[in-house]
Amino acid sequence: MELEAQWWTGQLAADIHQALRYKELKLPSYKGQSPQLHLRRYFADLIAIVSNRFRLCPAARHLAVYLLDLFMDRYDISIQQLHVVALSCLLLASKFEEKEDSVPKLEQLNSLGCMTNMNLVLTKQNLLHMELLLLETFQWNLCLPTAAHFIDYYLSIAVHETDLHDGWPMVCLEKTKLYMAKYADYFLEVSLQDHAFLSYAPSLVATACVASSRIILRLSPTWPTRLHHLTAYSWDFLVPCIERLLIAHDNDVKEANKQKGQHAQSAQHTVFQTPAPTPQQANAQQHIPYLQAHQSSLQYHHQTSQQQNCQQISSNHTTSYPLQTCPAALQSSVQARGHVQTGAAMSLAVPLEVKPCISVSYNRSYQVNGRYSCITPCFER
C-alpha cells in the first residue's frame, strides 16, 4: 500500500496525467449523427457484458465503447454488422490495454448468446478485415484517453483523513476509500450509458465521478482544495456533469425502491402479516429526501463546505496546471472545437433511448439498474 501511494504521488504519475490531458485536447470530435444512435445504449451494454465476462479492465471497456461511438458517428451500419463492429472494437481495445492472455479468443466470441441469436459467426478473415477498417478509420491511433484512464489518479487523493462525514471525523479511513472507489466505479459506468457525456472532456467526467461520490457519501468539504489543484477543475465547471450523474443515480434509487415495493406486495399476498423493514430498507428510506434535494442544491453543498472550519490540505502532487477554473490550453481548445462543455447554462439534447434487452451487470460488485442501497452504511460512530 505504501509503495502504491508513493507511486501515485510521484513525478511519473504526474507526467502520465499531464500527457493524457494533452492528448484529450486532440480527441476526434463527436457529432452524435449516427442513424443507429437509438441502438447505442444496447451495444454499450453488450460491450460491458462481454468485457465483464472476460474480466477485462475498465480502460479496455471504456475505450471499446468510445471506438464504437466514433465509428457509428461516421458510418451507416446494419444492425447485424453492428454486432461485429462492437466485438471488433472490444478486441482492439483489449489488445491495446490488456495482456495477451486476457484478449478474448475467436471461439469464445462465437459462443456468445448475442451471436447465436443473430445467427452470426465470426471468421478470422472477417474479423481481420473489420479490425483493419477500424484502424484505418482512427489512423492507427488507439491512444485515446477515456474517463477510466484518469479515475485512479484522482481517487488516490479523493479521501483524506481530515475530511468530515456529516460534520464528524471519520472513524475508518480505509473503509471510506473502499466505498469511494465503488461509487466512483458506479458513476464511471453510468457515463457509458449516455452519449451526452461525450460532450465533456474525459478528465472532466472522471473528476465529476469523484465529486458525485463525495456528495453521495456526504463528505465535506464537497470539493477540497487538493482535488481542485490536482484536477484543475473548479466546482462551477463540474456542476453540469455532476447533475447528470446524480440524476441517473436518483433514477436508479427510485427503480430499486420500486422493485422493493413490488416484492413487498407479492410477499403480502403470500404472507398475511407485513414483515418489519430491514435495516437496509430503513437506511435507504431515511436518505431519500437527501437524494431528492441534492439535484437543486449543488451550489448549496459547495457554499456550506467552504464555510467548514476544517484544515485545508496542501497536496503533495505536482502538476503543471495552475489553480484556476480550467487550463488556458483547455479553454482555447474548447473554443476552437466545441468538444468540451464550457458553461453550466449549455443544455444537451436528451438522446433517444432504447430499453436494453440485456440484463446488465457492469462492475465487480455493482448493478447499474439498481439493487443497491442508496447510501452506504459506513463510518459507524
Side-chain angles (χ1 to χ4, degrees), residues 69-102:
D69 284 328
L70 294 178
F71 194 79
M72 289 178 60
D73 204 38
R74 302 181 186 185
Y75 295 95
D76 188 357
I77 315 166
S78 65
I79 296 179
Q80 282 193 339
Q81 197 69 8
L82 270 175
H83 285 82
V84 180
V85 173
L87 294 178
S88 298
C89 289
L90 184 60
L91 271 180
L92 279 181
S94 60
K95 291 176 181 178
F96 189 78
E97 296 287 349
E98 290 280 2
K99 298 179 180 179
E100 184 177 358
D101 296 339
S102 301

Side-chain angles (χ1 to χ4, degrees), residues 7-27 143-157 201-208 210 223 226-233 238 315-327 329-330:
W7 192 91
W8 287 117
T9 57
Q11 186 61 39
L12 179 58
D15 291 342
I16 294 175
H17 174 252
Q18 182 179 350
L20 291 174
R21 290 292 289 264
Y22 177 76
K23 285 182 177 295
E24 75 174 353
L25 298 176
K26 299 182 177 182
L27 287 175
C143 188
L144 304 173
T146 67
H149 292 90
F150 292 95
I151 195 71
D152 289 336
Y153 187 59
Y154 298 156
L155 283 175
S156 64
I157 63 166
S203 60
L204 189 149
V205 175
T207 305
V210 173
W223 194 238
R226 66 179 186 274
L227 283 169
H228 185 175
H229 179 72
L230 182 70
T231 64
Y233 288 117
L238 296 173
S315 175
N316 294 327
H317 294 256
T318 58
T319 177
S320 62
Y321 296 107
L323 188 60
Q324 56 186 9
T325 301
C326 183
L330 185 59

Side-chain angles (χ1 to χ4, degrees), residues 20 22-28 63 66-67 70 74 92-93 96-97 131-145:
L20 291 174
Y22 177 76
K23 285 182 177 295
E24 75 174 353
L25 298 176
K26 299 182 177 182
L27 287 175
L63 179 58
Y66 187 52
L67 294 177
L70 294 178
R74 302 181 186 185
L92 279 181
F96 189 78
E97 296 287 349
E131 288 185 344
L132 284 174
L133 179 59
L134 288 168
L135 289 172
E136 290 176 358
T137 300
F138 304 118
Q139 299 179 350
W140 293 79
N141 176 28
L142 297 183
C143 188
L144 304 173

Side-chain angles (χ1 to χ4, degrees), residues 18-258:
Q18 182 179 350
L20 291 174
R21 290 292 289 264
Y22 177 76
K23 285 182 177 295
E24 75 174 353
L25 298 176
K26 299 182 177 182
L27 287 175
S29 60
Y30 178 77
K31 300 179 181 179
Q33 61 186 6
S34 171
Q36 291 81 22
L37 190 59
H38 61 286
L39 298 174
R40 187 260 182 197
R41 171 72 180 270
Y42 166 81
F43 286 100
D45 291 348
L46 174 63
I47 289 177
I49 291 175
V50 177
S51 64
N52 279 342
R53 176 173 177 177
F54 295 107
R55 298 183 179 180
L56 302 180
C57 64
R61 177 165 62 253
H62 281 252
L63 179 58
V65 175
Y66 187 52
L67 294 177
L68 177 65
D69 284 328
L70 294 178
F71 194 79
M72 289 178 60
D73 204 38
R74 302 181 186 185
Y75 295 95
D76 188 357
I77 315 166
S78 65
I79 296 179
Q80 282 193 339
Q81 197 69 8
L82 270 175
H83 285 82
V84 180
V85 173
L87 294 178
S88 298
C89 289
L90 184 60
L91 271 180
L92 279 181
S94 60
K95 291 176 181 178
F96 189 78
E97 296 287 349
E98 290 280 2
K99 298 179 180 179
E100 184 177 358
D101 296 339
S102 301
V103 177
K105 304 299 187 293
L106 180 61
E107 297 78 11
Q108 295 174 322
L109 294 177
N110 281 325
S111 64
L112 295 175
C114 64
M115 300 296 291
T116 56
N117 292 337
M118 296 294 295
N119 293 324
L120 291 175
V121 178
L122 285 174
T123 63
K124 185 178 297 184
Q125 182 178 1
N126 291 338
L127 195 59
L128 289 175
H129 176 75
M130 183 57 66
E131 288 185 344
L132 284 174
L133 179 59
L134 288 168
L135 289 172
E136 290 176 358
T137 300
F138 304 118
Q139 299 179 350
W140 293 79
N141 176 28
L142 297 183
C143 188
L144 304 173
T146 67
H149 292 90
F150 292 95
I151 195 71
D152 289 336
Y153 187 59
Y154 298 156
L155 283 175
S156 64
I157 63 166
V159 179
H160 195 271
E161 58 185 3
T162 56
D163 289 336
L164 302 179
H165 173 253
D166 277 342
W168 293 79
M170 289 182 296
V171 176
C172 183
L173 180 63
E174 294 303 321
K175 184 183 292 186
T176 310
K177 290 182 177 180
L178 177 63
Y179 282 120
M180 170 62 68
K182 288 186 176 181
Y183 266 110
D185 285 343
Y186 161 73
F187 282 117
L188 200 63
E189 301 309 317
V190 167
S191 68
L192 277 184
Q193 298 181 350
D194 193 343
H195 69 87
F197 286 98
L198 293 173
S199 298
Y200 306 98
S203 60
L204 189 149
V205 175
T207 305
C209 291
V210 173
S212 300
S213 301
R214 289 183 63 87
I215 291 175
I216 297 300
L217 292 174
R218 306 194 304 277
L219 298 179
S220 61
T222 306
W223 194 238
T225 304
R226 66 179 186 274
L227 283 169
H228 185 175
H229 179 72
L230 182 70
T231 64
Y233 288 117
S234 69
W235 176 262
D236 294 336
F237 201 75
L238 296 173
V239 164
C241 188
I242 293 175
E243 286 178 341
R244 286 186 177 275
L245 293 172
L246 292 181
I247 289 174
H249 174 272
D250 286 351
N251 291 336
D252 287 342
V253 172
K254 292 177 182 178
E255 181 64 24
N257 292 334
K258 181 180 178 180

